[in-house]
Amino acid sequence: MAAPVRTVVFPAAGLGTRILPATKAFPKELLPLVDRPIVQYGVEEAVASGIRRVVLVTSPGNTMTGAHFAPHPALEAVLEERGKTESLAVVRALSALAEVTTVHQAQPLGLGHAVLMARPEVGDEPFAVVLPDDVIDADPPALRRMTDLFAAVGGPVLLVERVPREAVQRYGIIDAKALGQGVFEVRDLVEKPDPATAPSDLAIVGRYVLTPDVFDALERTGADAGGEIQLTDGLRRLLEHRPLHACELVGTRHDAGNRLGFLKASVYFALKRPDLAPQLRAFLTELD
Ligand code: G1P
């Protein structure tokens, strides 16, 4: 039987170039969608999927992302003194949500390199990777479906979604054999292919359940033309040694790492909030 997935890695050391200048000094993963930072959505998804050990991979100067999940005694004392019980509960729940540690990626050498930085924290057991930009609303949570499939197949599982042909060059794309019920066996995978030569329209969308042998595969993976070690290239190596599976997303995904995606995600999650939806809807209608 496959070992349980206890740890999730959040690569969050990117330069945030798609949403500058907001991210010039401020970590992209802390930009809020309504009132929660982007990364908190991913952590909540992991916790709802039974994974409570979180490893944040951030750039060295970033102390804020870890602090978001840590206790804040001074703030708690003030909220308590002022009788702000609801806010106090929210702040305390956040630091109790998960067991969060931070590791640093000194240089932005790619997603594969970021995952490698988490190796000492992960150890020799299976783990998940969540790319915080991909914010997913799904019931059951996407990661939960993936860990269930991982338990069934006993090997790595990727999350995929069909994207328009012209968009394949923004994703890792798989070549796959459909096994039914949204499950695929991966035959090959390629990072950001040309639409003309892409093997399919099935894009990897920011969730992975991996086995620890991926670390050795990544160690042996060279940098691409842009000087980055790609996770997709590491997985391609892994595929030489063991089967990989993918499951298709059932739910709604937003790419909150670009301007339009960020705005859409903000409106989407605000419209799910009973305290905000009626007034926001009225406002949007007024604008029309
Ligand atoms: C990364 C991965 C890519 C994946 C994508 C999902 O690309 O390299 O394979 O499809 O995330 O969001 P990035 O968005 O960092 O360029």
Side-chain angles (χ1 to χ4, degrees):
M1 226 187 75
V5 180
R6 301 191 304 153
T7 308
V8 55
V9 176
F10 282 76
L15 298 174
T17 51
R18 292 185 301 158
I19 203 159
L20 279 168
T23 51
K24 184 175 169 229
F26 192 74
K28 178 176 57 170
E29 67 279 7
L30 288 184
L31 293 174
L33 299 174
V34 188
D35 53 9
R36 285 180 290 159
I38 291 174
V39 66
Q40 189 177 332
Y41 287 80
V43 171
E44 287 175 357
E45 178 188 332
V47 171
S49 307
I51 308 175
R52 284 201 69 248
R53 285 190 72 219
V54 171
V55 181
L56 303 171
V57 184
T58 71
S59 53
N62 176 355
T63 53
M64 283 193 264
T65 307
H68 180 71
F69 296 99
H72 192 329
L75 175 62
E76 289 171 32
V78 172
L79 293 173
E80 195 155 25
E81 205 181 286
R82 297 189 184 166
K84 305 250 183 214
T85 43
E86 259 179 54
S87 301
L88 183 62
V90 168
V91 168
R92 286 199 171 140
L94 189 50
S95 51
L97 181 63
E99 204 186 296
V100 179
T101 52
T102 301
V103 299
H104 293 312
Q105 184 186 20
Q107 287 171 291
L109 295 179
L111 179 58
H113 180 259
V115 170
L116 261 181
M117 297 298 102
R119 184 175 199 168
E121 296 297 328
V122 171
D124 193 25
E125 49 178 74
F127 66 103
V129 175
V130 167
L131 308 189
D133 280 0
D134 283 315
V135 181
I136 294 176
D137 182 32
D139 184 17
L143 257 189
R144 169 70 77 179
R145 281 191 51 237
M146 294 173 72
T147 52
D148 286 350
L149 181 58
F150 175 80
V153 298
V157 175
L158 321 177
L159 186 67
V160 293
E161 186 180 38
R162 290 193 189 277
V163 297
R165 267 279 158 182
E166 65 277 11
V168 295
Q169 55 204 334
R170 297 205 304 265
Y171 297 93
I173 302 292
I174 64 167
D175 179 17
K177 179 179 157 203
L179 301 180
Q181 298 191 312
V183 176
F184 299 86
E185 186 176 337
V186 178
R187 282 193 290 231
D188 197 4
L189 58 170
V190 50
E191 180 69 7
K192 304 198 169 86
D194 195 289
T197 55
S200 79
D201 60 353
L202 288 167
I204 304 170
V205 286
R207 301 288 182 277
Y208 309 76
V209 174
L210 301 175
T211 44
D213 48 355
V214 73
F215 291 125
D216 286 334
L218 284 168
E219 297 274 10
R220 293 195 309 270
T221 302
D224 65 6
E228 297 193 346
I229 298 175
Q230 297 301 338
L231 181 55
T232 303
D233 293 340
L235 292 173
R236 198 164 196 218
R237 268 179 180 269
L238 196 59
L239 188 59
E240 292 165 15
H241 303 285
R242 57 152 73 234
L244 302 185
H245 288 81
C247 72
E248 202 169 346
L249 170 67
V250 181
T252 305
R253 174 184 69 100
H254 297 279
D255 177 2
N258 71 72
R259 293 175 182 85
L260 185 61
F262 177 81
L263 287 169
K264 284 183 178 173
S266 300
V267 173
Y268 176 91
F269 286 107
L271 288 177
K272 291 194 78 160
R273 289 263 300 250
D275 58 332
L276 299 171
Q279 289 179 61
L280 180 60
R281 218 177 275 282
F283 172 70
L284 292 173
T285 319
E286 260 172 49
L287 289 181
D288 228 6

